[in-house]
């Protein structure tokens, strides 16, 4: 019973590189979310998905791309990483309102 | 968009003490959740409570939707209660999606 997992847990990349963060949930929840957590800003929503092939922007979507071809997966891609995207990224899933979070990915862009 | 304010920002208590954390929000909501982020970074869903009162062991929460605030009570604090407590809300029309407060950092001293 894995629940919701994220990979990698830690990633260091260089400015300008493309990087993809993976999120996988085993509950068949319809909703999935990506957040970033930064000191002084708390958690901010990047993108969310209400179902497979349905995605929408959150509060801070610029510089990020998402897809959801399968219900259980919701990858987040930084097409050209910038230092301002150094953060801790959390994925979450939900059947309706209550959200359940993955362990997070700490991304450093040098 | 909706504003979420949590107080106090920081709280230091002795083990065994009780505490009350507050979340004020600026608009009507149909989704309010409390989360605990432990010192290792994991986010745990504590309560989904858009209105009314719920209890789970030593923790309870009350939301007065008409007055736009929610309270989280922690009784007989333990060191494992340390961490950051977040309130997150979503407006009635769900246009803004979920917005997190900046959290209350709780430190329980042994």
């Amino acid at each position: 019973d894995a629940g919701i997992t994220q990979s990698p847990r830690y990633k260091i990349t260089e400015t300008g590189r493309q990087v993809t963060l993976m999120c996988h949930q085993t509950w068949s929840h319809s909703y999935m979310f990506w957040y970033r957590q930064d000191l002084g800003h708390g958690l901010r929503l990047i993108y969310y998905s209400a179902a497979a092939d349905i995605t929408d922007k959150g509060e801070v979507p610029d510089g990020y791309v998402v897809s959801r071809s399968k219900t259980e997966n919701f990858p987040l891609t930084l097409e050209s990483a910038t230092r301002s995207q150094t953060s801790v990224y959390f994925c979450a899933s939900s059947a309706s309102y209550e959200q359940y979070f993955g362990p997070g990915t700490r991304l450093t862009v040098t | 968009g909706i504003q979420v304010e949590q107080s106090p920002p920081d709280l230091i208590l002795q083990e065994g003490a009780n505490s009350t954390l507050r979340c004020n929000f600026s608009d009507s909501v149909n989704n309010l959740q409390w989360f605990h982020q432990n010192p290792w970074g994991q986010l745990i869903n504590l309560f989904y409570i858009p209105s009314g009162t719920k209890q789970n062991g030593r923790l309870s929460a009350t939301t007065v939707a008409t007055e736009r605030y929610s309270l989280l009570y922690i009784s007989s604090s333990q060191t494992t209660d340390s961490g950051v407590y977040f309130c997150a809300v979503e407006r009635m029309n769900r246009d803004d999606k979920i917005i997190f407060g900046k959290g209350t950092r709780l430190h329980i001293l042994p």
Side-chain angles (χ1 to χ4, degrees):
Chain A
D1 185 353
I4 182 165
T5 57
Q6 293 183 234
S7 62
R9 295 292 315 278
Y10 303 91
K11 176 74 177 179
I12 300 174
T13 191
E14 294 178 343
T15 300
R17 290 193 179 267
Q18 181 180 83
V19 60
T20 296
L21 309 184
M22 303 301 294
C23 179
H24 175 79
Q25 52 107 355
T26 61
W27 295 308
S28 298
H29 284 168
S30 296
Y31 294 92
M32 294 188 76
F33 308 82
W34 274 107
Y35 296 89
R36 59 179 291 173
Q37 185 175 29
D38 306 289
L39 281 174
H41 289 282
L43 281 129
R44 293 180 292 174
L45 181 65
I46 304 170
Y47 269 96
Y48 65 97
S49 168
D53 296 322
I54 300 175
T55 62
D56 207 347
K57 295 178 180 179
E59 186 182 355
V60 287
D62 293 343
Y64 303 95
V65 175
V66 293
S67 62
R68 194 159 177 217
S69 57
K70 293 184 178 181
T71 300
E72 61 267 30
N73 296 324
F74 191 37
L76 175 74
T77 297
L78 289 67
E79 292 192 304
S80 179
T82 65
R83 289 181 181 169
S84 65
Q85 293 177 309
T86 292
S87 187
V88 180
Y89 291 85
F90 286 97
C91 177
S93 72
S94 171
S96 58
Y97 287 110
E98 295 178 79
Q99 294 195 16
Y100 298 91
F101 282 80
T105 294
R106 183 174 295 275
L107 176 68
T108 301
V109 183
T110 63
Chain B
I2 192 169
Q3 304 299 311
V4 183
E5 293 184 2
Q6 291 188 242
S7 60
D10 297 281
L11 190 57
I12 301 174
L13 296 172
Q14 207 69 40
E15 196 169 25
N18 301 329
S19 58
T20 301
L21 283 56
R22 187 176 180 102
C23 172
N24 292 335
F25 45 95
S26 61
D27 204 346
S28 300
V29 299
N30 63 354
N31 180 4
L32 187 146
Q33 298 177 57
W34 283 97
F35 296 90
H36 175 220
Q37 186 169 37
N38 65 25
W40 296 271
Q42 180 66 46
L43 281 151
I44 306 297
N45 189 306
L46 297 176
F47 294 104
Y48 163 67
I49 185 165
S51 63
T53 297
K54 289 186 178 180
Q55 181 155 7
N56 184 2
R58 295 180 297 102
L59 273 61
S60 64
T62 295
T63 297
V64 183
T66 52
E67 297 187 22
R68 299 181 183 169
Y69 72 89
S70 183
L71 302 173
L72 177 70
Y73 304 97
I74 305 173
S75 64
S76 305
S77 299
Q78 300 176 359
T79 55
T80 52
D81 295 330
S82 295
V84 183
Y85 290 81
F86 291 101
C87 166
V89 304
E90 188 174 4
R91 286 206 293 189
M92 288 287 188
N93 60 13
R94 306 198 83 172
D95 281 353
D96 292 339
K97 298 312 294 180
I98 195 162
I99 300 294
F100 281 72
K102 288 188 165 38
T104 291
R105 183 173 296 277
L106 178 64
H107 188 53
I108 305 298
L109 300 173

